[in-house]
Amino acid sequence: MKILAQSRLISLIFLILTLTAGAVSGNFKFSKYAGDFLSIGVGGRALGMGGAFTSIANDVTAGYWNPAGLAEVSNSQIILMHDERFAGIINYDYIGFAFKPNNSYSLAVSMIRIGVDDIPFTENAFSDNNGNGIFDPDVDRLDPERFSFVSSSDWVGLISLGKILDEKFSIGGNVKFIYRKIEKNSGIGIGFDFAVKYKISNFSIGAVLKDATSTLVAWNTGRNELIAPSLSTGISREFQIFWGKFTPAIDLILRFEGRKRTAFAGTDFLSVDFNIGAEYTFKEIISIRTGLTENREFTLGTGLKFNRLDIDYSFAKFNSELGNTHRISVKFTII
């Protein structure tokens, strides 16, 4: 069984690398940072750990972090999360539902919305001294009655599957649907993620190839944005200590769009970032967490478990101009 599991792991890693090479070697023009709205993260637990969750994900949020981890879901779960960032300018909402049709695989459906609402639109609000509507940026006068308000929003829907191959090894995948809207302009896209998870002793290893075939977002303006593939790998280990469990974790993120100047390390082709985090859980009741994200954001978090209800909170510290962010999620396990 060990040899079979190891051969499956090697085969799937080879498949992931092959798909990645095929996606990035074609004659495509990727839009740098086009997929950033997909990498904000979900769930108070994972966000409290700085997003270092690829190897840990084992509940409904695995549909986002690592769909192979869905295979470990034993009961149906539903989760809700709300996040307001940058002094409440951006609203971020997430809902997910996971269920297990049989003992070998689990399914999840998730929805994410990132929105900025009530944006003043002043294109038709310029006026001259006689109150006539004109469009002239050199005229420093706006007519408030000519204001209109628009919104910008991104919607992401995920259909996820996680399947157990043996007691240590699972695989999974996502189909994701994207809808983006800015005022009257909109774009749609579809993408695919592939994932693996392997557990041995107290270690857990995970890998997710996101946007595996690259994801095209086509706008009604004629503009096309191509989201480049990225590979997230993670490792974590559980330690039994002080009547509880301590779990440090690290994720390594490889992006194939050349974030040379903004990444931790990179070239014109490949960039490398990382998330690190840790969690201590006392008697499966209360947890404390901390982490550091790829954007150098320091995070803290805590969680409480009441029978079938989990409440998780995370805090992220941004710079003084952007303010701090508080995120809370509520997860309910259905027997």
Side-chain angles (χ1 to χ4, degrees):
M1 290 297 291
K2 288 184 178 180
I3 296 175
L4 179 61
Q6 290 172 355
S7 64
R8 286 173 173 171
L9 178 61
I10 293 170
S11 298
L12 279 168
I13 291 174
F14 178 77
L15 176 61
I16 285 174
L17 295 175
T18 302
L19 286 169
T20 303
V24 302
S25 63
N27 188 22
F28 296 118
K29 183 179 177 63
F30 295 116
S31 299
K32 194 179 293 187
Y33 309 109
D36 264 17
F37 70 99
L38 298 171
S39 60
I40 296 175
V42 302
R45 181 188 177 197
L47 293 172
M49 296 180 66
F53 213 63
T54 301
S55 63
I56 296 177
N58 60 358
D59 62 1
V60 58
T61 64
Y64 173 91
W65 293 104
N66 184 347
L70 279 174
E72 299 176 42
V73 172
S74 57
N75 299 98
S76 297
Q77 296 177 340
I78 186 169
I79 189 170
L80 298 168
M81 188 191 86
H82 179 68
D83 171 1
E84 292 184 5
R85 55 182 57 200
F86 308 149
I89 295 175
I90 298 177
N91 288 289
Y92 184 87
D93 296 288
Y94 158 71
I95 182 171
F97 175 68
F99 59 101
K100 197 175 189 73
N102 62 43
N103 291 330
S104 65
Y105 71 92
S106 300
L107 297 170
V109 180
S110 311
M111 181 68 70
I112 299 170
R113 180 187 184 270
I114 310 115
V116 180
D117 302 307
D118 297 325
I119 305 170
F121 188 65
T122 61
E123 182 179 17
N124 300 316
F126 291 99
S127 63
D128 59 19
N129 293 329
N130 297 320
N132 298 315
I134 60 173
F135 180 62
D136 185 355
D138 294 327
V139 178
D140 189 18
R141 181 174 176 180
L142 296 175
D143 183 354
E145 294 185 359
R146 295 179 184 270
F147 281 20
S148 59
F149 294 88
V150 299
S151 64
S152 172
S153 59
D154 297 316
W155 294 82
V156 183
L158 295 169
I159 299 175
S160 312
L161 180 144
K163 180 175 176 56
I164 295 174
L165 296 185
D166 58 38
E167 68 275 7
K168 296 180 179 180
F169 190 50
S170 60
I171 61 173
N174 283 330
V175 180
K176 58 187 169 191
F177 303 92
I178 298 169
Y179 176 72
R180 310 192 72 181
K181 189 175 188 302
I182 302 175
E183 208 250 328
K184 297 178 181 179
N185 302 321
S186 61
I188 58 173
I190 184 171
F192 303 92
D193 305 332
F194 300 104
V196 296
K197 189 174 181 182
Y198 185 71
K199 302 182 76 172
I200 181 170
S201 185
N202 291 325
F203 285 93
S204 182
I205 303 168
V208 185
L209 178 61
K210 299 180 180 180
D211 304 292
T213 58
S214 69
T215 298
L216 176 68
V217 179
W219 290 82
N220 61 357
T221 60
R223 173 181 171 82
N224 293 322
E225 295 179 335
L226 200 59
I227 300 174
S230 63
L231 179 64
S232 295
T233 60
I235 185 170
S236 57
R237 190 187 192 283
E238 292 184 0
F239 298 89
Q240 299 297 323
I241 184 172
F242 297 126
W243 306 283
K245 181 175 62 177
F246 175 67
T247 308
I250 183 168
D251 279 11
L252 191 67
I253 305 164
L254 306 178
R255 291 190 174 92
F256 302 93
E257 58 180 28
R259 299 189 180 190
K260 184 176 181 180
R261 298 183 179 178
T262 58
F264 175 75
T267 67
D268 291 333
F269 170 72
L270 176 68
S271 64
V272 180
D273 280 301
F274 62 89
N275 298 325
I276 58 174
E279 174 186 62
Y280 173 73
T281 301
F282 177 74
K283 292 187 176 181
E284 301 294 333
I285 298 174
I286 185 169
S287 301
I288 55 174
R289 307 172 184 117
T290 187
L292 183 69
T293 74
E294 60 176 301
N295 297 318
R296 312 300 176 261
E297 301 156 4
F298 175 68
T299 65
L300 291 171
T302 187
L304 289 173
K305 185 175 181 63
F306 304 96
N307 196 6
R308 291 178 289 167
L309 181 66
D310 293 76
I311 301 174
D312 294 295
Y313 163 80
S314 75
F315 165 86
K317 182 173 179 57
F318 295 91
N319 61 43
S320 58
E321 289 78 14
L322 297 177
N324 301 319
T325 296
H326 306 270
R327 290 81 65 99
I328 188 167
S329 63
V330 179
K331 182 179 71 177
F332 185 72
T333 300
I334 305 168
I335 301 299

